[in-house]
Amino acid sequence: MRRAGLIVGETLTALRQMVAPGVTTQDLDSEAERRIRAAGATPTFKGYHGYPASICASVNDEVVHGIPSGRKLQDGDLIKIDCGATLDGYVGDAAISVLVGRVSPEVQALVKATQESLFRAMEKMRVGNRLFDVSYAVQEYVEERGYSVVREYCGHGVGRRMHEEPQVPNYGRPGTGPVLKEGWVLAIEPMVNLGRHQVKVDSDGWTVRTRDGSFSSHWEHTIAVTENGPVVLTAREDGTIDL
Ligand code: MF3
Ligand code: CO
């Protein structure tokens, strides 16, 4: 799983470096697919329940599952890039939020808080903790700052398939839920809105966006529970994670 995750981590870093005004989300998708296949892996998302691309590219009020298109990124946009790779039968799944040019301070703060909530959740991924300790870590951190947590979409177990048990909501009651065991691997993925939590799905059947039109941030990593604490399987070669 580390080898699958490494491809995802390195691909996302390359895509971050491509992001600029004028670049299309389809440009990002093509480069992702090229890199994943060059590494000997396959893009997990392509064909998943009929999904047509290798990444999800969700801009501004789009929360997740935006389909790459000819849309050109513009100064002030916030793009969330979600990427999965399957290697030797195992899946890595991660997502980053990237600012395009000059973005408002409010949106910068949202992105930072969402990323920090993922780190807080990861810290709870220790043998003997409960699943909703992880969930609550996201909820507590972002709600304290006035943001809202998307309810309809969750993190998940990941392994030979992208979506395995258990579901990992980004909200929940601490001290409850299944006990975390060594060897569990979870994709933790806070989806956090600047405004209200409600979302809707576009007529394309995929794109999820905020009902109130507010910006949303999304971060995700594939993380293992080990006896030495959490290990990020979608980290880069040098062990760092995207910032
Ligand atoms: N990373 C995502 C998830 O965890 C997105 C996959 S949706 C797909 O659920 F359809 F594009 F594959
Ligand atoms: Co996921």
Short mmCIF file of all heavy atoms in Angstrom, two decimals, residues 93 156 163 187 189 220, ligand 2:
data_model
loop_
_atom_site.label_atom_id
_atom_site.label_comp_id
_atom_site.label_asym_id
_atom_site.label_seq_id
_atom_site.Cartn_x
_atom_site.Cartn_y
_atom_site.Cartn_z
N ASP A 93 -5.15 6.63 -1.89
CA ASP A 93 -6.19 7.63 -2.14
C ASP A 93 -5.84 8.88 -1.34
O ASP A 93 -5.68 8.80 -0.12
CB ASP A 93 -7.54 7.04 -1.71
CG ASP A 93 -8.75 7.92 -2.01
OD1 ASP A 93 -8.62 8.90 -2.75
OD2 ASP A 93 -9.83 7.60 -1.47
N HIS A 156 -13.07 6.59 4.70
CA HIS A 156 -13.40 5.17 4.51
C HIS A 156 -12.17 4.30 4.74
O HIS A 156 -11.04 4.77 4.59
CB HIS A 156 -13.90 4.96 3.07
CG HIS A 156 -13.02 5.62 2.03
ND1 HIS A 156 -12.00 4.95 1.41
CD2 HIS A 156 -12.97 6.90 1.57
CE1 HIS A 156 -11.39 5.78 0.58
NE2 HIS A 156 -11.95 6.98 0.67
N HIS A 163 -13.00 1.69 -1.49
CA HIS A 163 -13.95 1.92 -0.39
C HIS A 163 -14.21 0.62 0.34
O HIS A 163 -14.86 -0.27 -0.17
CB HIS A 163 -15.26 2.50 -0.93
CG HIS A 163 -15.10 3.88 -1.47
ND1 HIS A 163 -15.72 4.32 -2.61
CD2 HIS A 163 -14.36 4.92 -1.03
CE1 HIS A 163 -15.37 5.58 -2.84
NE2 HIS A 163 -14.55 5.96 -1.90
N ALA A 187 -8.74 6.05 4.87
CA ALA A 187 -8.59 7.30 4.13
C ALA A 187 -9.38 8.34 4.92
O ALA A 187 -10.61 8.26 5.01
CB ALA A 187 -9.13 7.16 2.72
N GLU A 189 -10.65 12.06 5.24
CA GLU A 189 -10.85 13.12 4.26
C GLU A 189 -11.85 14.18 4.68
O GLU A 189 -13.00 14.15 4.27
CB GLU A 189 -11.19 12.56 2.88
CG GLU A 189 -12.24 11.50 2.78
CD GLU A 189 -12.45 11.07 1.32
OE1 GLU A 189 -12.42 11.92 0.43
OE2 GLU A 189 -12.64 9.87 1.08
N GLU A 220 -7.10 14.86 1.97
CA GLU A 220 -7.24 13.43 2.25
C GLU A 220 -5.87 12.75 2.24
O GLU A 220 -5.02 13.08 1.41
CB GLU A 220 -8.12 12.78 1.16
CG GLU A 220 -8.26 11.27 1.31
CD GLU A 220 -9.20 10.65 0.26
OE1 GLU A 220 -9.42 11.28 -0.79
OE2 GLU A 220 -9.70 9.55 0.52
CO CO B 2 -11.30 8.76 -0.40
#
